[in-house]
Amino acid sequence: MKKIHVTTKINGDTVEFLCDPRETLLDVLRDRLGLTGAKEGCGTGDCGACSVTVDGRLTCSCLMLGVEAEGHEIGTVEGIADGEELHPLQKKFIEYAALQCGICTPGILVAAKNLLERNPDPTEEEVRYWLAGNLCRCTGYDKIIRAVLDTAAEMREAS
Amino acid sequence: MTVSRSLPHDAAPLHVTGQARYVDDIPVPAGCLHLAFGLSTIARGRILSMDLDPVRAAPGVVAVLTAGDLPFANDVSPSVHDEPLLADGRVNYVGQPVFLVVAESHLAARRAARLGRIDYDEEEPILTVEQALAANSRFEDGPVVWEKGDAEAAIAAALRVIEGRVEIGGQEHFYLEGQAALALPQEGGDMMIHSSTQHPTEVQHKVAEALGVPMNAVRVETRRMGGGFGGKESQGNALAVACAVAACVTGQPCKMRYDRDDDMIITGKRHDFRIDYRAGVDAEGRILGVAFTHYARCGWAQDLSLPVADRAMLHADNAYCLPAVRIESHRLRTNTQSATAFRGFGGPQGMVGIERVMDHVAHELGMDPVELRRRNYYAEAAKGGAAPRPAASPRGISDQKEAGGGNTTPYGMEVEDFELGAMTEALLERCDYVARRAAVRAWNARGGAIRKGIAFSPVKFGISFTLTHLNQAGALVHVYQDGSVHLNHGGTEMGQGLFQKVAQVAASRFGIGLEAVKITATDTGKVPNTSATAASSGSDLNGMAVKAACDTIRDRIAAHLAQRFQADAAEVRFEGGRVHVGAESVSFAEAARMAYEGRVSLSATGFYRTPKLAWDRLRGRGRPFYYFAYGCAVTEVAVDARSGEYRILRADILHDAGASLNPAIDIGQVEGGYVQGAGWLTTEELVWDNRGRLMTHAPSTYKIPACSDRPDVFNVALWDGRNREETIYRSKAVGEPPFMLGISAWLALSDAVASFGDVYPALDAPATPERVWAAIRRVRNGV
Ligand code: FES
Ligand code: FES
């Protein structure tokens, strides 16, 4: 099948790639661009492991085609830290031990960061429902929620 | 000391930045091929013919293999060679791999796999417990029966007899990382495998058989899994073997990962059980005798079903001293996925049986269910505790029909470490159980559609593999001349924090910081003949093996320095990153360099085998477990009678991890275990249609707990205790036991449903909203 040329921005950098029109954005990220932080947990939009942002909007990259990224700005887990400096959410996830096998963690961080950008002061319930589309089979979610709430509180104080 | 500290997971910085590599993230060499299985579409029958030409002609396809193309063994079974990699003439369930597609991309392989045309001579499948019993379709010749005392006589003589049946559904592991393997052909026909497996040695073994080479020609490496839960104890064999065979045939690297639907359709799950029970009780609610019949649906191949069903029997008592017991266990062969290991390994099903009995008896006698449970508890171990007795000799095991009594389990093991009496009291007080139970009663007395329920349940879980020879572990430790440490052992990391805990042990033995210890991938080339990381045994076994290896090196360094500084080797101390020799003190790095220059070996293996075990499986007598892990939970729920929907409002847990090696990791295990256990008994429903097709094969139809299902109030604490047995730093295993705390959520639903009338709800599991709704109707109508 003829490959299609796509120009997009990923984590702030302009990126060009060729892809099969049937390939998902997730496959492009993982297989063509070496960005394996986004994971495939289901491939059907039900687990959130593949979460990225597209122009600031939380998206399951398994549900979007690579060619649809043309002209858009994609954010992935690899872009959350500022160089060596971890984002406060990343620090809190480590501090709270809010992960076990860690494979859901990239998707959850992308989703949580997106939430805090929209709503710096979410209630516990808002966090729970915002993250309801991100499955985690290991942790039971408690530490995840507390890490997100605590990050929000700390970021509010800092700003 | 670095043990007993709440340190984060060793790979946490990699996890949060997306850099942690799982098998599918490993960069592959150019020319890597991708595999997919063509699957059986019927549950039972003979293959008459296969037309695979359309598969071969599909774009990107390099090769298509069937059973006849396999060069050597066609088997991926972990037990009795009854599980062909590719169906050989017959198919036994919908989803069984029949042929293997090797293609240039994952997508091309999967698309092509759909194009096979297979003609079958279809037979009537055996799907249910009833069908299997009618056809006498089972593993082993007949049911296994273990007895203590004369249960029938005790029941017959009892004041009240309470009987019933509970159906307990299976459970999909839903490890978030699906099964995956990557094979890299090496020179001279050797094979390197990366596998997402809990059991690298088993993968090595099966790959060697499939390639017709000795085990030394195969190396298996597992850095981490994205969740395992037992689902990667044997279920990864097929992918690794497929990759190895395809790599051997094509000479190219081969990778395989199951897409989620394939994963759920192909791989085994938790065994579903039906349990029939009859219990004789006295007026005070003391169980005098109980008879259980377990019916386990094992699926088409044996896999690990026998030890799973054994462990269900071994937990039929849970925390209760039963004077007379009879347990009959049927291991039924059905045309469904081959049920496999899953956190608890049958223990949860056995425990649900007796907890159901307790719940039912309390309801019939109108007693407080906690009080009833406490009356039946094993006797509490003396506080502080006498030293545990020496190992029972197998010959000392008394006769099968030995009179009941004492503080012994149905299989004749003395319970020496029971502590649930004190734990129960502490938990009830912490969570204000009595007042909350009264409040729930008062709320329900007002009537209305929203009702509440509250329930307590204890856990006593036996720690050790019941196949005694598996209770061994090895480790390999190197100290380099700069004082850095390379750590390897046979355990695998699936998120449970094993690597971190074991590294804490190593750092403590050398008195150095954790940053000096390099944690490395599990590798069959470093530590051979390992057991699966399973049965919660990971840190117990590997921690001890690593300790042994570290101590060997430590003693060598100490002897060398003692000689050099004219001191006594026994007085050399390793502390704070330094080695103290009499009045002298050198850094650990300096000590390593001195030992190296003194031509002292700084590399050692360590080995451990669990003491005291003596188990006669056939007679069901002996000491299968080194010790027990304990926990208890109280869950409160609210139920809406109009829809059957419910929420967990609050969960309080007290769990015993001994002297915890890492409280943060252990609490994480408890929380995750509880939520997974509650999921099993509430929302996670597996549905097969009457042709044996699994209808719930994706997260869209199979509902694991989500963030929004987390209890509103979730209090988890560790019991402040020490293991009485000499485990690593007196800690206790914590992987599986908390899973069964989730039983309290199911019992709380039963309690809420019971408020609608007088009859016992007899709620089956999973108690989906649909089932809860139906149970409410039954209770309201008094049937
Ligand atoms: S992989 Fe995209 S939502 Fe699961
Ligand atoms: S930490 Fe394993 S799935 Fe979330």
Side-chain angles (χ1 to χ4, degrees):
Chain A
M1 197 163 294
K2 192 169 152 288
K3 294 220 169 22
I4 295 183
H5 179 266
V6 177
T7 308
T8 174
K9 246 189 189 174
I10 299 183
N11 299 327
D13 297 332
T14 302
V15 172
E16 293 178 59
F17 57 84
L18 286 173
C19 78
D20 184 317
R22 296 172 307 184
E23 263 178 84
T24 64
L25 175 61
L26 176 62
D27 289 340
V28 169
L29 290 171
R30 293 180 54 81
D31 302 338
R32 298 199 180 273
L33 304 176
L35 295 171
T36 53
K39 311 293 181 190
E40 180 176 312
C42 66
T44 50
D46 295 305
C47 77
C50 64
S51 297
V52 299
T53 55
V54 179
D55 299 333
R57 190 175 159 168
L58 189 60
T59 304
C60 292
S61 62
C62 71
L63 292 185
M64 181 172 158
L65 293 172
V67 293
E68 292 178 286
E70 173 68 41
H72 294 290
E73 246 181 81
I74 313 294
T76 73
V77 68
E78 287 88 351
I80 292 185
D82 184 5
E84 291 290 289
E85 180 61 19
L86 293 183
H87 185 276
L89 264 174
Q90 293 173 310
K91 290 187 195 156
K92 282 284 178 231
F93 267 59
I94 297 176
E95 182 190 323
Y96 273 77
L99 56 90
Q100 289 179 27
C101 82
I103 198 158
C104 66
T105 311
I108 290 185
L109 285 171
V110 168
K113 177 166 175 276
N114 194 253
L115 168 67
L116 298 190
E117 280 161 9
R118 291 154 185 267
N119 178 359
D121 190 8
T123 63
E124 202 243 70
E125 181 143 337
E126 282 168 335
V127 174
R128 281 210 270 139
Y129 282 88
W130 184 264
L131 294 180
N134 288 85
L135 297 180
C136 171
R137 191 51 152 168
C138 302
T139 63
Y141 304 104
D142 192 62
K143 293 180 195 298
I144 292 174
I145 295 166
R146 287 194 283 125
V148 173
L149 285 169
D150 195 26
T151 311
E154 216 179 83
M155 286 175 72
R156 286 195 307 275
E157 248 164 58
S159 63
Chain B
M1 286 251 290
T2 45
V3 287
S4 310
R5 277 180 52 201
S6 282
L7 298 167
H9 194 284
D10 57 283
L14 300 178
H15 289 312
V16 299
T17 50
Q19 294 177 66
R21 273 189 195 159
Y22 304 81
V23 170
D24 194 36
D25 302 336
I26 297 173
V28 292
C32 183
L33 299 173
H34 300 261
L35 315 184
F37 285 127
L39 306 178
S40 163
T41 50
I42 65 160
R44 186 181 180 203
R46 236 161 22 90
I47 298 175
L48 295 175
S49 67
M50 279 196 264
D51 176 9
L52 301 180
D53 289 343
V55 185
R56 292 197 177 87
V61 171
V62 174
V64 180
L65 305 178
T66 61
D69 301 318
L70 301 175
F72 291 95
N74 177 18
D75 180 64
V76 293
S77 160
S79 50
V80 289
H81 290 85
D82 64 346
E83 206 173 319
L85 170 69
L86 298 174
D88 199 359
R90 290 191 60 79
V91 292
N92 303 289
Y93 75 101
V94 177
Q96 182 172 352
V98 178
F99 60 93
L100 176 65
V101 185
V102 184
E104 282 161 3
S105 73
H106 175 72
L107 199 61
R110 291 197 69 231
R111 282 173 176 271
R114 300 283 158 97
L115 303 176
R117 285 195 284 262
I118 305 175
D119 267 340
Y120 301 99
D121 175 13
E122 199 168 345
E123 298 161 19
E124 196 53 31
I126 296 170
L127 300 171
T128 63
V129 166
E130 291 70 24
Q131 289 166 354
L133 285 173
N136 196 33
S137 173
R138 59 173 75 237
F139 296 98
E140 303 178 301
D141 299 332
V144 175
V145 180
W146 294 345
E147 289 180 273
K148 168 186 171 186
D150 188 341
E152 283 311 324
I155 295 167
L159 183 72
R160 296 278 301 263
V161 176
I162 284 146
E163 55 191 315
R165 163 180 296 183
V166 56
E167 305 219 344
I168 309 161
Q171 185 177 28
E172 162 62 34
H173 302 83
F174 212 92
Y175 27 66
L176 209 58
E177 176 210 27
Q179 307 274 352
L182 167 65
L184 305 168
Q186 310 289 304
E187 62 178 23
D190 290 0
M191 196 62 73
M192 166 79 207
I193 308 275
H194 293 275
S195 169
S196 181
T197 178
Q198 293 171 240
H199 200 346
T201 290
E202 181 77 13
V203 167
Q204 179 194 22
H205 179 202
K206 300 314 289 189
V207 166
E209 280 181 3
L211 299 183
V213 297
M215 285 172 79
N216 67 9
V218 180
R219 214 182 110 203
V220 180
E221 185 179 302
T222 302
R223 175 57 186 88
R224 64 171 60 81
M225 282 163 270
F229 315 115
K232 293 175 179 170
E233 188 166 341
S234 61
Q235 305 299 296
N237 293 358
L239 299 89
V241 169
C243 287
V245 169
C248 189
V249 169
T250 61
Q252 280 166 267
C254 287
K255 177 156 110 172
M256 183 172 208
R257 68 178 168 92
Y258 288 160
D259 146 277
R260 178 63 59 186
D261 295 73
D262 285 353
D263 200 315
M264 292 183 75
I265 289 167
I266 297 170
T267 64
K269 303 158 199 328
R270 184 186 294 286
H271 292 68
D272 47 65
F273 267 59
R274 188 181 105 195
I275 298 180
D276 295 353
Y277 57 89
R278 265 159 38 82
V281 294
D282 69 12
E284 277 78 49
R286 260 180 292 265
I287 308 265
L288 304 174
V290 57
F292 287 111
T293 313
H294 290 177
Y295 302 93
R297 234 167 41 111
C298 302
W300 72 283
Q302 186 167 304
D303 190 71
L304 305 167
S305 291
L306 305 191
V308 166
D310 285 355
R311 191 170 273 269
M313 298 171 83
L314 289 167
H315 289 81
D317 59 333
N318 193 13
Y320 313 107
C321 190
L322 307 171
V325 203
R326 183 177 191 281
I327 312 159
E328 179 176 316
S329 167
H330 298 257
R331 294 89 195 265
L332 303 171
R333 187 199 294 263
T334 51
N335 294 111
T336 46
Q337 291 81 355
S338 182
T340 191
F342 196 145
R343 204 176 198 171
F345 205 72
Q349 293 93 319
M351 228 176 257
V352 163
I354 186 74
E355 289 305 326
R356 165 54 156 278
V357 168
M358 292 293 157
D359 196 50
H360 197 167
V361 170
H363 188 270
E364 295 302 317
L365 301 188
M367 269 183 73
D368 179 85
V370 178
E371 187 45 37
L372 180 101
R373 285 180 166 82
R374 291 212 264 194
R375 275 184 199 170
N376 286 288
Y377 269 173
Y378 282 105
E380 196 87 344
K383 207 152 189 195
R389 297 199 197 159
S393 99
R395 259 169 282 117
I397 299 165
S398 45
D399 191 60
Q400 185 152 358
K401 280 266 185 177
E402 162 203 53
N407 208 37
T408 57
T409 63
Y411 43 92
M413 175 172 165
E414 186 81 19
V415 179
E416 299 165 329
D417 55 5
F418 199 77
E419 55 191 3
L420 273 167
M423 289 178 72
T424 303
E425 201 168 303
L427 176 69
L428 295 184
E429 199 178 300
R430 269 181 218 194
C431 78
D432 203 14
Y433 171 80
V434 176
R436 282 170 56 212
R437 184 166 172 85
V440 164
R441 291 284 165 274
W443 168 275
N444 289 343
R446 303 196 324 220
I450 309 278
R451 299 290 176 91
K452 291 184 179 174
I454 186 167
F456 163 89
S457 70
V459 170
K460 162 181 142 290
F461 191 77
I463 302 297
S464 293
F465 287 99
T466 56
L467 204 52
T468 303
H469 80 259
L470 297 180
N471 295 289
Q472 58 169 310
L476 177 66
V477 175
H478 306 319
V479 174
Y480 294 98
Q481 51 189 300
D482 64 353
S484 64
V485 175
H486 176 106
L487 171 65
N488 199 273
H489 53 82
T492 55
E493 177 63 43
M494 59 195 108
Q496 82 280 43
L498 170 66
F499 282 13
Q500 180 72 328
K501 282 185 171 181
V502 174
Q504 286 176 256
V505 170
S508 290
R509 299 317 288 174
F510 290 127
I512 55 177
L514 210 49
E515 64 291 340
V517 179
K518 173 67 80 190
I519 295 173
T520 60
T522 317
D523 183 339
T524 57
K526 288 185 181 165
V527 176
N529 308 323
T530 58
S531 297
T533 307
S536 306
S537 66
S539 37
D540 277 11
L541 296 177
N542 295 291
M544 282 302 227
V546 162
K547 173 172 175 281
C550 293
D551 289 357
T552 301
I553 298 176
R554 206 171 69 158
D555 290 350
R556 287 186 199 146
I557 296 178
H560 179 71
L561 294 188
Q563 195 190 32
R564 180 148 172 183
F565 293 110
Q566 312 265 302
D568 182 355
E571 272 153 33
V572 176
R573 286 176 300 115
F574 292 73
E575 256 172 37
R578 301 193 68 79
V579 184
H580 305 274
V581 195
E584 306 282 338
S585 147
V586 295
S587 70
F588 183 74
E590 182 71 0
R593 194 186 53 78
M594 288 160 85
Y596 162 68
E597 286 172 358
R599 298 191 293 171
V600 171
S601 163
L602 292 176
S603 172
T605 58
F607 186 76
Y608 176 72
R609 53 189 178 153
T610 314
K612 297 191 179 182
L613 303 176
W615 174 235
D616 180 346
R617 180 189 168 247
L618 288 180
R619 294 167 64 230
R621 310 292 299 173
R623 178 174 183 157
F625 304 124
Y626 188 25
Y627 63 88
F628 294 102
Y630 298 94
C632 50
V634 169
T635 299
E636 184 175 341
V637 298
V639 168
D640 187 335
R642 293 162 297 196
S643 61
E645 285 177 299
Y646 46 78
R647 286 200 59 84
I648 296 179
L649 302 175
R650 175 169 170 180
D652 293 82
I653 294 172
L654 188 54
H655 194 82
D656 166 29
S660 171
L661 287 175
N662 183 324
I665 285 177
D666 287 351
I667 287 180
Q669 286 296 305
V670 176
E671 291 176 352
Y674 169 86
V675 169
Q676 200 175 62
W680 167 49
L681 296 172
T682 59
T683 61
E684 297 187 32
E685 187 178 33
L686 290 164
V687 179
W688 285 266
D689 73 4
N690 60 8
R691 303 312 302 161
R693 281 175 299 213
L694 179 66
M695 307 309 285
T696 49
H697 51 75
S700 50
T701 43
Y702 183 79
K703 173 84 178 73
I704 71 165
C707 212
S708 42
D709 300 319
R710 162 190 175 263
D712 294 349
V713 180
F714 198 9
N715 299 318
V716 176
L718 296 181
W719 178 244
D720 189 18
R722 275 160 62 79
N723 197 337
R724 285 164 179 253
E725 299 294 347
E726 285 178 35
T727 51
I728 185 78
Y729 291 101
R730 302 275 178 178
S731 61
K732 281 194 179 185
V734 73
E736 295 168 290
F739 178 88
M740 286 146 275
L741 298 168
I743 294 172
S744 61
W746 173 65
L747 294 171
L749 289 173
S750 173
D751 186 49
V753 173
S755 76
F756 287 95
D758 296 327
V759 301
Y760 183 63
L763 198 57
D764 286 330
T768 56
E770 201 176 346
R771 278 221 176 87
V772 167
W773 184 85
I776 291 172
R777 244 166 66 119
R778 272 200 318 276
V779 170
R780 272 189 166 146
N781 298 336
V783 290

Coordinates of all heavy atoms in Angstrom, one line a residue, chain B residues 350-375:
Chain B
G350 N -11.8 -21.9 47.3 CA -12.0 -22.7 48.5 C -12.5 -21.9 49.7 O -13.4 -22.2 50.4
M351 N -11.9 -20.7 49.8 CA -12.3 -19.8 50.9 C -13.7 -19.2 50.7 O -14.4 -19.1 51.7 CB -11.3 -18.6 50.8 CG -10.7 -18.3 52.2 SD -9.5 -17.0 52.0 CE -8.0 -17.9 52.2
V352 N -14.1 -18.9 49.5 CA -15.4 -18.5 49.2 C -16.4 -19.5 49.8 O -17.5 -19.2 50.3 CB -15.7 -18.2 47.8 CG1 -17.2 -18.1 47.4 CG2 -15.0 -16.9 47.4
G353 N -16.1 -20.8 49.6 CA -17.0 -21.9 50.0 C -17.3 -21.8 51.5 O -18.4 -21.7 51.9
I354 N -16.2 -21.7 52.3 CA -16.5 -21.7 53.8 C -17.0 -20.3 54.3 O -17.8 -20.3 55.2 CB -15.2 -22.1 54.6 CG1 -15.4 -22.2 56.1 CG2 -14.0 -21.1 54.4 CD1 -16.2 -23.4 56.5
E355 N -16.6 -19.3 53.6 CA -17.2 -18.0 54.0 C -18.7 -17.9 53.7 O -19.5 -17.3 54.4 CB -16.4 -16.8 53.3 CG -15.0 -16.6 53.8 CD -15.0 -16.4 55.3 OE1 -15.9 -15.8 55.9 OE2 -14.0 -16.8 56.0
R356 N -19.1 -18.6 52.6 CA -20.5 -18.7 52.3 C -21.2 -19.5 53.4 O -22.3 -19.1 53.8 CB -20.6 -19.4 50.9 CG -22.0 -19.9 50.6 CD -23.0 -18.7 50.8 NE -24.2 -18.9 50.0 CZ -24.3 -18.7 48.7 NH1 -23.4 -18.2 48.1 NH2 -25.4 -18.9 48.1
V357 N -20.6 -20.6 53.8 CA -21.2 -21.3 54.9 C -21.4 -20.5 56.1 O -22.4 -20.4 56.8 CB -20.3 -22.6 55.2 CG1 -20.8 -23.2 56.5 CG2 -20.3 -23.6 54.1
M358 N -20.3 -19.7 56.5 CA -20.4 -18.8 57.7 C -21.6 -17.8 57.5 O -22.3 -17.6 58.5 CB -19.1 -18.1 57.9 CG -18.0 -19.0 58.3 SD -18.2 -19.7 59.9 CE -17.2 -21.1 59.9
D359 N -21.6 -17.2 56.4 CA -22.7 -16.2 56.1 C -24.1 -16.9 56.2 O -25.0 -16.3 56.8 CB -22.4 -15.7 54.7 CG -23.2 -14.3 54.5 OD1 -23.0 -13.5 55.3 OD2 -23.9 -14.2 53.4
H360 N -24.2 -18.0 55.6 CA -25.5 -18.7 55.6 C -25.9 -19.1 57.0 O -27.0 -18.9 57.4 CB -25.3 -19.9 54.7 CG -26.6 -20.5 54.2 ND1 -26.7 -21.4 53.2 CD2 -27.9 -20.3 54.6 CE1 -28.0 -21.7 53.0 NE2 -28.7 -21.1 53.9
V361 N -24.9 -19.7 57.7 CA -25.2 -20.1 59.1 C -25.7 -18.9 60.0 O -26.7 -19.0 60.7 CB -24.0 -20.9 59.7 CG1 -24.3 -21.1 61.2 CG2 -23.8 -22.2 59.0
A362 N -24.9 -17.9 59.9 CA -25.2 -16.7 60.7 C -26.6 -16.2 60.3 O -27.4 -15.8 61.2 CB -24.2 -15.6 60.4
H363 N -27.0 -16.2 59.1 CA -28.3 -15.8 58.7 C -29.4 -16.7 59.3 O -30.4 -16.2 59.8 CB -28.4 -15.7 57.1 CG -29.7 -15.1 56.6 ND1 -30.8 -15.8 56.4 CD2 -30.0 -13.8 56.3 CE1 -31.8 -15.0 56.0 NE2 -31.3 -13.8 55.9
E364 N -29.1 -18.0 59.1 CA -30.2 -18.9 59.6 C -30.3 -18.8 61.2 O -31.4 -19.0 61.7 CB -29.8 -20.4 59.3 CG -29.8 -20.6 57.8 CD -31.1 -20.4 57.1 OE1 -32.2 -20.7 57.7 OE2 -31.2 -19.7 56.0
L365 N -29.2 -18.6 61.9 CA -29.3 -18.6 63.3 C -29.6 -17.2 63.8 O -29.7 -17.0 65.1 CB -28.0 -19.1 63.9 CG -27.5 -20.5 63.6 CD1 -26.3 -20.9 64.5 CD2 -28.6 -21.5 63.8
G366 N -29.6 -16.2 62.9 CA -29.8 -14.9 63.4 C -28.7 -14.3 64.2 O -28.9 -13.5 65.2
M367 N -27.5 -14.8 64.0 CA -26.3 -14.4 64.8 C -25.5 -13.3 64.1 O -25.6 -13.2 62.8 CB -25.4 -15.6 65.0 CG -25.7 -16.3 66.3 SD -24.5 -17.7 66.4 CE -23.0 -16.7 66.9
D368 N -24.8 -12.5 64.8 CA -23.9 -11.6 64.2 C -22.8 -12.4 63.5 O -22.1 -13.3 64.1 CB -23.2 -10.7 65.3 CG -22.2 -9.8 64.6 OD1 -22.6 -8.7 64.2 OD2 -21.0 -10.1 64.5
P369 N -22.6 -12.2 62.2 CA -21.7 -13.0 61.4 C -20.2 -12.9 61.9 O -19.5 -13.9 61.8 CB -21.8 -12.4 60.0 CG -22.9 -11.4 60.0 CD -23.3 -11.1 61.4
V370 N -19.8 -11.8 62.5 CA -18.5 -11.7 63.0 C -18.3 -12.6 64.2 O -17.3 -13.3 64.4 CB -18.1 -10.3 63.3 CG1 -16.6 -10.2 63.9 CG2 -18.2 -9.4 62.1
E371 N -19.3 -12.5 65.1 CA -19.3 -13.3 66.3 C -19.2 -14.8 65.9 O -18.4 -15.6 66.5 CB -20.5 -13.0 67.2 CG -20.5 -13.6 68.5 CD -19.1 -13.5 69.3 OE1 -18.5 -12.5 69.1 OE2 -18.8 -14.5 69.9
L372 N -20.0 -15.2 65.0 CA -20.1 -16.6 64.6 C -18.7 -17.0 64.1 O -18.2 -18.1 64.4 CB -21.1 -16.8 63.4 CG -21.2 -18.2 63.0 CD1 -22.4 -18.9 63.6 CD2 -21.2 -18.3 61.4
R373 N -18.1 -16.1 63.3 CA -16.7 -16.5 62.8 C -15.7 -16.6 63.9 O -15.0 -17.5 63.9 CB -16.3 -15.4 61.8 CG -17.0 -15.5 60.4 CD -16.5 -14.4 59.5 NE -16.9 -14.7 58.1 CZ -18.1 -14.4 57.6 NH1 -19.1 -13.8 58.4 NH2 -18.4 -14.7 56.4
R374 N -15.8 -15.7 64.8 CA -14.8 -15.7 65.9 C -15.0 -17.0 66.7 O -14.0 -17.6 67.2 CB -15.0 -14.5 66.8 CG -14.5 -13.3 66.0 CD -13.9 -12.3 67.0 NE -14.9 -11.3 67.4 CZ -14.6 -10.2 68.0 NH1 -13.3 -9.9 68.3 NH2 -15.5 -9.3 68.3
R375 N -16.2 -17.5 66.9 CA -16.4 -18.7 67.7 C -15.8 -19.9 67.0 O -15.4 -20.9 67.7 CB -17.9 -19.0 67.8 CG -18.4 -18.2 69.0 CD -19.9 -18.5 69.2 NE -20.4 -17.4 70.0 CZ -21.6 -17.2 70.3 NH1 -22.5 -18.1 69.9 NH2 -22.0 -16.2 71.1

